[in-house]
Amino acid sequence: STRGFGLSLDAILGYHIQSGITLTQQLSIVQFSLAITIIFFVIGLIDSIICMLTFKNKSILAVGCGLYLLTLSIISLITMIFFIWKFFILLFTQMEIISNRKFLFLQCYSIDIILRICLIINKWLHACISMERTITTIQGTQFNKRKSKINAKYGIVILLLITIGTAIHDPFFRDLLDEQYEYDNEIKRIWCIVRYNRFLQIYDYIIQSVHFIGAFVVNIISALVLVWKRTRHEQTLDLDSNFKEILKKQIKKYRHIIISPLILTILSIPRLAIVFISKCMQSTNDSWLFLIGYFISFLPSMLNSIVYILPSNYYKTEFGNAMHQYQSQMRRRLNWK
């Protein structure tokens, strides 16, 4: 049984990794995981760089939404770095390339919790961006950029503190476990496990569900309120217009704002499912299903440019300007050399 591993790649993939053989000789599930991990990391890295180049612009950072977008880009980059780091630590540990216990203790107490915090913050930042867009629409000409920026700074700090606070219990219940051969007590594998009592297990389920459902609800409500307010505003400009027709036009215009949180939520469902059912995984034959679910949960961290830059002419223009500026700087440096 995988009880004790928590939400970790160790339980899904660990037993498939064999020691004493090369990567090319490993099972297909290990080679597949390695390929997907590298592909995800490269795509996530490119996506994060694109977003940071776009959202570092002063005009974008003049409002709270810009700060949320830049923070989201940074968090996504951190997520992808620890995502690939986690995989290779597991791979090298089970291949017995890494055996330093101090190093293994450090990674056991840190990597999974950092990944968990980053993924939760990622969800809530999407919700904050949706909420900020709605507030901007509702306030209209009365929207205060300076106040929005200050609120965003406080919001990011509070979000970070709350997320860490709801996950801080995890490292205190982690430890390394030596699995030994029965006949000579020689160490077979080293596992990073987490042991929750019943109360903490229930608390952990509730917290994970609250983060998942809460972020989704904020996203959807913000998107619906935005469309509704835009529709009412358009109707006040033209009293003879049909409300349903305006509503359809606004839904079509802002469909990406409605569809995006739905897609991001669907991609997060496998991770929530693993939280509740991973302890029931009692055979390595189930690994493919759990592995695919695990990888899918990291997709939202790789799609920020598609979700925010691609649908927006303004952000696409800012990205083009950032690239042009970067190319000009590179040409000047080359000419100087």
Side-chain angles (χ1 to χ4, degrees):
S1 171
T2 55
R3 182 186 297 273
F5 284 101
L7 181 56
S8 175
L9 191 62
D10 300 52
I12 301 171
L13 196 61
Y15 268 110
H16 294 283
I17 303 171
Q18 304 300 315
S19 62
I21 61 175
T22 63
L23 282 173
T24 56
Q25 295 173 314
Q26 295 287 342
L27 296 175
S28 59
I29 190 171
V30 178
Q31 294 178 357
F32 170 82
S33 301
L34 174 61
I36 291 297
T37 299
I38 293 172
I39 291 170
F40 272 31
F41 174 73
V42 172
I43 295 174
L45 181 63
I46 294 171
D47 179 83
S48 297
I49 291 172
I50 289 172
C51 290
M52 285 191 287
L53 283 172
T54 304
F55 301 135
K56 71 179 180 63
N57 186 285
K58 289 184 179 180
S59 61
I60 294 177
L61 294 176
V63 295
C65 191
L67 283 176
Y68 288 129
L69 287 166
L70 183 60
T71 305
L72 178 64
S73 306
I74 296 169
I75 293 294
S76 296
L77 179 61
I78 294 171
T79 303
M80 298 318 297
I81 290 171
F82 278 96
F83 167 73
I84 195 169
W85 179 254
K86 168 66 181 179
F87 178 84
F88 278 104
I89 291 297
L90 174 64
L91 181 65
F92 292 152
T93 302
Q94 300 308 325
M95 289 178 68
E96 298 183 2
I97 296 173
I98 297 176
S99 58
N100 185 290
R101 294 193 72 85
K102 288 183 179 180
F103 176 78
L104 292 176
F105 265 114
L106 180 63
Q107 70 84 27
C108 179
Y109 286 113
S110 60
I111 296 181
D112 282 322
I113 188 67
I114 291 172
L115 281 173
R116 172 175 171 171
I117 289 170
C118 286
L119 289 172
I120 291 172
I121 291 176
N122 189 287
K123 290 188 186 73
W124 281 108
L125 284 172
H126 284 293
C128 289
I129 292 165
S130 295
M131 194 162 51
E132 184 73 12
R133 284 173 166 176
T134 302
I135 292 171
T136 304
T137 302
I138 292 173
Q139 293 183 347
T141 55
Q142 296 179 341
F143 178 71
N144 189 320
K145 290 184 178 181
R146 184 174 175 275
K147 186 178 179 180
S148 167
K149 188 175 180 178
I150 293 171
N151 289 339
K153 288 180 179 179
Y154 282 115
I156 291 167
V157 173
I158 292 170
L159 175 60
L160 184 61
L161 292 175
I162 291 175
T163 306
I164 293 174
T166 56
I168 197 64
H169 61 279
D170 185 271
F172 295 101
F173 295 90
R174 286 190 174 271
D175 201 0
L176 290 182
L177 175 69
D178 294 327
E179 182 185 353
Q180 298 176 326
Y181 289 104
E182 293 181 1
Y183 54 85
D184 61 2
N185 290 329
E186 182 184 350
I187 294 176
K188 182 181 180 182
R189 292 177 184 270
I190 302 174
W191 299 105
C192 174
I193 64 167
V194 56
R195 293 187 177 97
Y196 289 158
N197 58 39
R198 183 172 178 79
F199 170 78
L200 273 174
Q201 190 70 68
I202 294 171
Y203 168 79
D204 197 62
Y205 288 159
I206 293 172
I207 287 297
Q208 297 257 24
S209 301
V210 167
H211 282 307
F212 175 82
I213 296 170
F216 171 71
V217 169
V218 171
N219 261 311
I220 290 298
I221 291 178
S222 297
L224 294 176
V225 170
L226 173 62
V227 171
W228 177 265
K229 287 293 182 180
R230 290 300 305 170
T231 303
R232 296 294 297 178
H233 177 71
E234 292 295 325
Q235 191 182 33
T236 55
L237 297 177
D238 186 3
L239 298 175
D240 296 327
S241 59
N242 185 281
F243 180 80
K244 289 183 178 180
E245 289 298 320
I246 298 176
L247 181 62
K248 288 178 182 178
K249 289 180 181 178
Q250 294 302 314
I251 291 174
K252 185 177 180 180
K253 182 179 179 180
Y254 294 104
R255 62 181 179 274
H256 62 281
I257 295 177
I258 301 173
I259 294 172
S260 295
L262 290 173
I263 294 174
L264 294 172
T265 301
I266 291 170
L267 293 174
S268 300
I269 288 175
R271 187 172 185 86
L272 185 67
I274 293 173
V275 170
F276 285 94
I277 67 176
S278 61
K279 66 179 183 179
C280 300
M281 178 181 159
Q282 298 186 8
S283 169
T284 54
N285 295 328
D286 300 330
S287 297
W288 278 104
L289 180 62
F290 282 88
L291 186 68
I292 292 170
Y294 182 85
F295 280 129
I296 286 174
S297 67
F298 285 92
L299 283 174
S301 299
M302 304 159 45
L303 302 175
N304 296 322
S305 59
I306 295 174
V307 172
Y308 295 110
I309 297 176
L310 201 59
S312 171
N313 291 327
Y314 174 61
Y315 289 148
K316 282 191 289 188
T317 302
E318 289 299 329
F319 172 67
N321 293 336
M323 287 301 296
H324 179 72
Q325 184 179 0
Y326 176 75
Q327 289 171 359
S328 299
Q329 289 175 351
M330 289 300 295
R331 281 195 292 266
R332 283 198 298 269
R333 288 178 183 177
L334 289 172
N335 293 332
W336 181 77
K337 289 180 180 180

